[in-house]
Amino acid sequence: MQAEQLRDFVIDKLEDLKGRDIKVLDVHEQTDIADYMVVCSGNSKTHVKSLANHVATESKHHGVPPIGVEGAESSEWVLVDLGDIVVHIMQESIRDFYELEKLWGPR
């Protein structure tokens, strides 16, 4: 899957389980680790974990197995690394604290 197709696929999978406030950050000019970061909020630890599991499982079924999944133990912030796309699924308070959109957003 091309990076843009994978980005759209991830957004679709997050929307499947009612992920909130989904933002896409184009980071290809800022880093070599990914082309896009997708940031999403979940309502609770259970919701965050479910969203991350859904993205990881569905991407694997479509031929893009995650390189890694980090943070599922606490489920306050779960990162799903799909290579060209890095997905950050966070509880609202964690997202507000780290402000990834400001850190990685347009300058």
Side-chain angles (χ1 to χ4, degrees), residues 44-46 48-49 71-78 89-91:
S44 64
K45 288 182 179 185
T46 304
V48 168
K49 190 172 190 171
E73 312 79 43
S74 68
S75 297
E76 292 178 345
W77 177 357
V78 181
I89 306 167
M90 310 165 136
Q91 288 187 30

Side-chain angles (χ1 to χ4, degrees), residues 50-64:
S50 294
L51 286 162
N53 286 340
H54 187 60
V55 168
T57 301
E58 289 299 313
S59 64
K60 183 177 179 181
H61 288 313
H62 284 84
V64 185

Side-chain angles (χ1 to χ4, degrees), residues 7-97:
R7 174 199 62 208
D8 295 343
F9 176 83
V10 166
I11 292 167
D12 184 55
K13 297 308 155 194
L14 292 170
E15 289 174 344
D16 284 350
L17 295 185
K18 309 293 187 226
R20 296 187 352 226
D21 196 21
I22 301 167
K23 301 285 188 214
V24 176
L25 306 172
D26 184 343
V27 297
H28 80 276
E29 290 184 6
Q30 295 166 283
T31 182
D32 292 335
I33 63 167
D35 289 336
Y36 297 98
M37 288 188 186
V38 178
V39 183
C40 171
S41 294
N43 298 325
S44 64
K45 288 182 179 185
T46 304
H47 190 212
V48 168
K49 190 172 190 171
S50 294
L51 286 162
N53 286 340
H54 187 60
V55 168
T57 301
E58 289 299 313
S59 64
K60 183 177 179 181
H61 288 313
H62 284 84
V64 185
I67 294 169
V69 177
E70 299 293 330
E73 312 79 43
S74 68
S75 297
E76 292 178 345
W77 177 357
V78 181
L79 181 145
V80 181
D81 185 350
L82 298 171
D84 291 334
I85 310 292
V86 177
V87 186
H88 298 272
I89 306 167
M90 310 165 136
Q91 288 187 30
E92 198 68 44
S93 61
I94 301 299
R95 187 172 179 176
D96 289 344
F97 182 79

